[in-house]
Amino acid sequence: MDSFTKWLADLLKQPEVQVERFLRDKDALHFLIAWSIFESKCFTGFLRATDLYNFSKRISDEGFEHETISSAANHFHQRYQDSERLRNLLHDKTPQKVTERFKQVLSKNISDITPSESIYLVSVVVYRFRNNIFHGRKKVDSWLRYGEQIRICTESMQHFIRHAESRTVTMEADAA
């Protein structure tokens, strides 16, 4: 069997040297670990872009402390006012309803965004960054250039996971 690095490079159709760099990057690994828990804990194992609207409404109604992601919402709201960045984030394969809702949130002043919309804005960006690792037009090397956004996404997932775990504890050690 090939090494893990070679196997992953072949799977992603990426140069092995880029995959080695990716695997050494703590931000990328933190993102992937948090993503795995986020998808499992907050979406029972499988997340589609169209699930994000109901997720944002549900956790807002549950009392998610949206202030914990306010700096992320502010950052992404400002970042995606740029039409080129927005186009790169929401490409042709993004479901139309997701794109429309996302743009609707972006069209508001940040001070007028509801807690649910703030959650939606951030969770869509997290989802798109995840997809860009494995399914996007971005190569591994270019994805790593977005370190600040990757860290913001990871921190946001931590808040979403913490909220979900406070509602239903599942992360305790199992008795073996």
Side-chain angles (χ1 to χ4, degrees):
M1 184 65 152
D2 293 333
S3 73
F4 181 81
T5 304
K6 180 166 179 11
W7 169 81
L8 186 58
D10 290 346
L11 181 70
L12 298 176
K13 296 174 182 45
Q14 300 287 314
E16 194 170 347
V17 68
Q18 285 188 17
V19 172
E20 285 174 358
R21 181 173 169 236
F22 176 79
L23 293 172
R24 284 192 311 269
D25 188 288
K26 281 187 177 183
D27 292 330
L29 290 178
H30 292 171
F31 180 96
L32 292 177
I33 291 167
W35 173 266
S36 178
I37 298 168
F38 173 63
E39 189 174 38
S40 173
K41 182 77 182 162
C42 298
F43 296 92
T44 62
F46 184 73
L47 168 58
R48 294 177 309 252
T50 54
D51 297 333
L52 295 170
Y53 180 75
N54 288 336
F55 167 74
S56 63
K57 296 292 252 183
R58 178 178 51 81
I59 71 169
S60 181
D61 290 347
E62 292 172 352
F64 174 78
E65 296 175 10
H66 70 279
E67 300 84 5
T68 61
I69 61 162
S70 63
S71 64
N74 289 335
H75 176 83
F76 292 136
H77 184 272
Q78 182 179 359
R79 179 177 178 79
Y80 294 111
Q81 296 303 312
D82 179 283
S83 60
E84 182 67 18
R85 287 179 172 165
L86 180 60
R87 188 181 61 74
N88 286 333
L89 182 74
L90 302 175
H91 59 70
D92 301 346
K93 293 182 182 178
T94 304
Q96 184 176 358
K97 193 156 213 91
V98 172
T99 298
E100 289 171 1
R101 284 182 175 141
F102 191 84
K103 287 180 176 180
Q104 182 180 20
V105 173
L106 284 180
S107 71
K108 294 183 172 189
N109 290 325
I110 190 69
S111 59
D112 295 332
I113 293 176
T114 67
S116 175
E117 291 170 329
S118 178
I119 295 164
Y120 186 72
L121 174 73
V122 172
S123 64
V124 168
V125 174
V126 168
Y127 178 83
R128 291 301 312 139
F129 265 78
R130 183 271 178 204
N131 278 13
N132 279 341
I133 298 172
F134 298 116
H135 307 296
R137 297 178 210 153
K138 305 220 179 326
K139 301 233 182 261
V140 169
D141 185 51
S142 66
W143 188 83
L144 291 174
R145 289 186 222 152
Y146 296 95
E148 179 182 12
Q149 285 70 42
I150 294 166
R151 287 186 293 278
I152 293 169
C153 287
T154 301
E155 183 178 307
S156 298
M157 285 187 286
Q158 289 173 266
H159 292 297
F160 295 144
I161 294 163
R162 186 175 292 124
H163 172 78
E165 185 67 10
S166 75
R167 309 261 318 148
T168 306
V169 176
T170 61
M171 303 304 272
E172 293 179 350
D174 290 352

